[in-house]
C-alpha cells in the first residue's frame, strides 16, 4: 500500500539499506517449484483415479531444478548479498532438502514433491498433523524425520532467544555460520536433511542468474530448444532474475519469439 508495505522493489530497498536492521534468516527449499509443477499439465498427466504421473521424470526434475534455483537467487542469494554489501551483520541462510515422503496410493511423492515449497514449516513447528500436508505424506515410524525437526526447532528457538542460531538452543547442534564476507569465505547456508541425505551441515555457494541461464544453455539433459524454451519460460517471470538482454536473447534463441 506504499505505507505499511513500501511499493518500491524490495531489492532496491535492500541495496539502499532502507529497511529495519535486525538479525535475519533467509532460506529456500531445494525443490520449491515442485509444489506447483505437480499440477502443471506441461509436465504431468493424471491417471484414471486422479493420481499425478510425470510425463518424463528426467525433464520434470530438471525443470524443477531450474525453477527452484531461480527462486533461491531471488529469495536468498541476491537479497542477502545486498544486505552484506551494506555491512549488515547476523545474516543466516538455509536450504531445506528433506524428500523422504511416503508413497500413498503408490504416488511417487519423493520425486514429484521432494523438498517442495512449505514442507519445512511442519519441521520448524514440530507439528505434522493438521498442518500444510496430509499426514499420509509421512511415514508412521520415522525417527530421522523427527530428529531433523527437533534440530530445526532448536536453531529457531536459539535465534529467537539470542538473535543467532549458533549451535542450537542447548549447544547440541553443528555451528550455523553467518553468510560469508570478503574477509571470511566459506559455505553460505545450513542444509537441513536426515543423515541419509547428508544430515545437518553447512554447504552451498552463491549462484547468479546469468550462471543459471548459462547452465541451462549447456545442459545435455535438456537437449532440444523446445525443452529449454519450456523451462526458461517457467521462471522468466521472476523480477530481476537475469540481465534482461541476455534473458531476452536466450528466450528468442530457444523459443523463436
Amino acid at each position: 500500500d506504499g505505507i505499511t508495505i513500501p511499493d518500491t522493489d524490495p531489492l532496491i530497498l535492500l541495496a539502499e539499506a532502507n529497511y529495519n536492521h535486525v538479525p535475519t534468516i533467509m532460506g529456500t527449499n531445494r525443490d520449491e517449484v515442485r509444489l506447483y509443477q505437480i499440477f502443471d499439465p506441461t509436465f504431468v498427466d493424471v491417471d484414471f483415479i486422479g493420481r499425478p504421473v510425470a510425463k518424463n521424470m528426467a525433464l520434470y526434475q530438471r525443470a524443477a531444478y531450474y525453477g527452484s534455483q531461480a527462486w533461491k537467487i531471488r529469495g536468498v542469494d541476491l537479497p542477502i548479498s545486498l544486505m552484506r554489501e551494506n555491512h549488515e551483520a547476523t545474516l543466516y541462510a538455509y536450504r531445506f532438502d528433506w524428500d523422504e515422503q511416503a508413497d500413498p496410493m503408490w504416488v511417487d511423492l519423493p520425486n514429484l514433491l521432494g523438498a517442495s515449497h512449505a514442507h519445512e514449516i511442519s519441521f520448524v513447528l514440530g507439528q505434522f498433523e493438521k498442518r500444510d500436508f496430509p499426514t499420509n505424506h509421512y511415514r508412521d515410524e520415522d525417527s530421522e524425520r523427527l530428529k531433523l525437526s527437533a534440530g530445526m526447532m532448536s536453531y529457531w528457538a536459539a535465534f529467537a532467544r539470542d538473535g543467532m542460531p549458533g549451535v542450537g538452543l542447548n549447544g547440541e547442534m553443528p555451528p550455523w555460520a553467518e553468510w560469508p564476507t570478503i574477509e571470511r569465505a566459506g559455505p553460505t547456508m545450513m542444509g537441513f536433511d536426515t543423515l541419509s541425505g547428508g544430515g545437518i551441515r553447512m554447504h552451498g555457494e552463491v549462484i547468479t542468474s546469468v550462471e543459471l541461464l548459462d547452465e541451462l544453455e549447456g545442459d545435455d539433459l535438456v537437449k532440444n530448444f523446445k525443452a529449454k524454451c519450456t523451462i526458461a519460460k517457467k521462471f522468466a517471470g521472476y523480477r530481476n532474475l537475469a540481465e534482461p538482454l541476455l534473458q531476452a536473447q536466450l528466450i528468442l534463441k530457444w523459443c523463436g519469439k
Side-chain angles (χ1 to χ4, degrees):
D1 60 5
I3 301 173
T4 305
I5 300 177
D7 57 4
T8 306
D9 187 322
L11 294 180
I12 294 176
L13 295 176
L14 293 177
E16 295 175 347
N18 185 12
Y19 54 86
N20 292 324
H21 299 262
V22 295
T24 301
I25 293 178
M26 296 185 185
T28 58
N29 295 357
R30 187 193 63 209
D31 308 313
E32 288 279 6
V33 302
R34 288 192 196 178
L35 181 62
Y36 311 101
Q37 195 169 283
I38 195 173
F39 301 109
D40 188 340
T42 304
F43 300 104
V44 176
D45 286 326
V46 178
D47 71 11
F48 68 99
I49 59 172
R51 297 177 300 188
V53 180
K55 294 178 180 180
N56 180 324
M57 183 58 78
L59 181 60
Y60 180 91
Q61 292 186 338
R62 292 311 288 168
Y65 164 78
Y66 286 106
S68 299
Q69 286 289 78
W71 192 309
K72 176 178 175 287
I73 292 168
R74 176 69 185 186
V76 178
D77 291 358
L78 187 52
I80 206 169
S81 294
L82 290 172
M83 295 173 73
R84 182 60 92 194
E85 288 175 10
N86 294 324
H87 306 289
E88 194 71 58
T90 56
L91 298 174
Y92 303 90
Y94 72 87
R95 193 182 76 183
F96 179 77
D97 289 2
W98 181 86
D99 61 356
E100 298 165 27
Q101 292 94 338
D103 52 355
M105 293 295 292
W106 300 280
V107 175
D108 188 4
L109 291 182
N111 283 310
L112 288 171
L113 278 179
S116 63
H117 184 64
H119 261 102
E120 84 287 2
I121 298 173
S122 292
F123 285 77
V124 172
L125 297 178
Q127 180 184 355
F128 294 92
E129 296 183 2
K130 298 180 180 179
R131 281 297 315 170
D132 305 274
F133 296 92
T135 53
N136 67 355
H137 279 216
Y138 305 106
R139 303 181 189 279
D140 292 336
E141 299 297 329
D142 195 349
S143 60
E144 285 298 311
R145 168 172 57 88
L146 299 179
K147 183 178 179 181
L148 173 60
S149 175
M152 294 178 70
M153 286 193 287
S154 179
Y155 281 122
W156 262 256
F159 182 74
R161 183 188 67 187
D162 306 326
M164 58 183 69
V167 289
L169 193 61
N170 299 307
E172 77 283 17
M173 303 303 299
W176 186 341
E178 290 186 17
W179 187 263
T181 64
I182 295 176
E183 296 79 17
R184 184 189 61 79
T188 58
M189 64 186 64
M190 181 63 80
F192 289 110
D193 204 344
T194 57
L195 289 176
S196 62
I200 297 175
R201 77 286 183 200
M202 292 295 300
H203 72 103
E205 298 178 348
V206 176
I207 183 172
T208 68
S209 53
V210 172
E211 290 170 341
L212 185 62
L213 287 168
D214 283 345
E215 183 178 356
L216 176 56
E217 185 170 32
D219 194 333
D220 290 336
L221 295 176
V222 186
K223 295 182 179 180
N224 62 70
F225 281 4
K226 181 179 179 181
K228 292 182 189 293
C229 171
T230 298
I231 291 173
K233 281 188 171 181
K234 292 296 178 183
F235 66 75
Y238 281 75
R239 291 180 299 167
N240 300 323
L241 172 63
E243 193 278 321
L245 181 58
L246 172 65
Q247 181 172 309
Q249 288 174 337
L250 288 177
I251 291 180
L252 178 63
K253 176 181 177 180
W254 296 334
C255 304
K257 58 181 179 180

